[in-house]
Amino acid sequence: MKATLISALATVANAAVLWDGRFNDLGTSADLNKWSWSNQVGPYQYYIHGSGSVEKYINFSPDYKNPADTVSKQGAKFTLDSTAFWNGQNMRRIELIPQTKAAINSGKVFYHFSISRKDTNAPSKNREHQICFFESHFTELKYGWISGEQGTENPNLQFMISQNSKWKTEWKANVWHNVAFEIDFSAGTVGFWHSEGADPLTQVVAPAKTSTSSNGADWHLGVLELPRSGYPDSVEDFYFSGVYIESGPITTAIGGPAS
């Protein structure tokens, strides 16, 4: 056990956080409004949202984080409601983009976050949700019925590489899923690390070849929900915490290295 602890501490010590999105430097969601194209401040670009005020879509609280994450001071609740349509589209969306000049799209990097849901305002099992995706969708999570598949609902949270499911589990309420996308932009591969609750991350999908493509400003933390005839919109909440990007050896401890 002592050797395991020493190894874990060494991994944390050697990790290099390229970008820290753990919400620790944000007071209320109104702080997201400080960012603009002419004033690019803070950890996030906030422009993909509906017509309402920011607190309709994103709110921060210690109650919204994985309790096992002692590095994060708080988590975020992302909400899709009847106004969450961006730029005239028919898809409901609420997403944040990392604001950084760091090389988060170069070499081998790990995109970390934890995600959960509750029974209250539960995301629909009958509609496709694209979660924490890149613009080209070379990797992402998905939840719910995926467009074109059989049946009417799908209760699984799935890890996707280029639109193909590589891992899945039933997304139950009040369970924190800890995630790391292992992306090697040089080798053109993507792998997947996962755990639940307080358990350390383990690799559940080995790196596989795909067309890794990113300009460093196109990873969408949040959710895009596709419309589906016969299934009306309802309020849906998604919870995120422990969001950061690192290079070097992966940090398997939940929450990551200290700020």
Side-chain angles (χ1 to χ4, degrees):
M1 180 179 292
K2 183 176 180 180
T4 302
L5 176 60
I6 292 172
S7 176
L9 291 174
T11 299
V12 170
N14 291 332
V17 175
L18 299 175
W19 170 79
D20 192 340
R22 287 176 285 196
F23 311 119
N24 288 345
D25 297 328
L26 295 167
T28 68
S29 54
D31 286 341
L32 294 169
N33 284 326
K34 296 176 181 178
W35 181 90
S36 68
W37 292 113
S38 60
N39 185 41
Q40 298 184 18
V41 297
Y44 286 106
Q45 299 176 8
Y46 175 66
Y47 65 92
I48 303 174
H49 54 78
S51 58
S53 55
V54 63
E55 68 272 8
K56 288 178 67 69
Y57 310 117
I58 298 179
N59 287 280
F60 303 129
S61 169
D63 295 334
Y64 299 158
K65 75 180 184 74
N66 183 342
D69 178 357
T70 59
V71 180
S72 297
K73 298 176 183 176
Q74 58 188 353
K77 179 175 71 173
F78 286 43
T79 298
L80 295 177
D81 68 5
S82 61
T83 70
F85 296 94
W86 175 62
N87 206 27
Q89 297 178 350
N90 66 348
M91 302 168 287
R92 296 198 297 174
R93 304 178 66 169
I94 177 59
E95 300 147 32
L96 296 174
I97 307 292
Q99 173 61 51
T100 182
K101 297 185 184 303
I104 62 174
N105 61 335
S106 178
K108 187 175 183 178
V109 292
F110 297 88
Y111 282 61
H112 289 261
F113 60 94
S114 297
I115 182 172
S116 186
R117 73 166 184 88
K118 299 182 184 299
D119 280 328
T120 301
N121 296 339
S124 172
K125 294 183 288 186
N126 306 107
R127 300 171 69 166
E128 178 176 330
H129 301 84
Q130 301 170 0
I131 302 169
C132 296
F133 58 91
F134 285 84
E135 196 68 30
S136 67
H137 294 274
F138 73 83
T139 196
E140 63 197 312
L141 295 184
K142 287 193 177 185
Y143 175 68
W145 180 86
I146 296 176
S147 298
E149 70 180 358
Q150 297 297 313
T152 60
E153 65 178 45
N154 189 330
N156 293 316
L157 185 68
Q158 303 190 64
F159 168 68
M160 316 291 288
I161 297 180
S162 298
Q163 309 287 350
N164 295 305
S165 179
K166 300 298 183 180
W167 170 93
K168 63 184 178 181
T169 189
E170 183 179 355
W171 196 11
K172 298 179 180 179
N174 306 311
V175 176
W176 279 97
H177 292 273
N178 310 302
V179 166
F181 296 157
E182 177 182 345
I183 305 171
D184 192 327
F185 287 98
S186 299
T189 60
V190 177
F192 185 60
W193 295 66
H194 174 266
S195 72
E196 293 183 4
D199 292 341
L201 293 168
T202 61
Q203 188 183 70
V204 294
V205 177
K209 290 289 268 186
T210 193
S211 179
T212 53
S213 174
S214 173
N215 64 3
D218 68 338
W219 182 59
H220 299 242
L221 172 72
V223 57
L224 180 158
E225 181 190 61
L226 297 181
R228 186 182 180 194
S229 178
Y231 296 90
D233 297 337
S234 61
V235 177
E236 300 181 354
D237 291 332
F238 301 76
Y239 298 84
F240 294 96
S241 68
V243 185
Y244 68 99
I245 301 171
E246 68 177 340
S247 64
I250 187 172
T251 300
T252 58
I254 303 312
S259 300

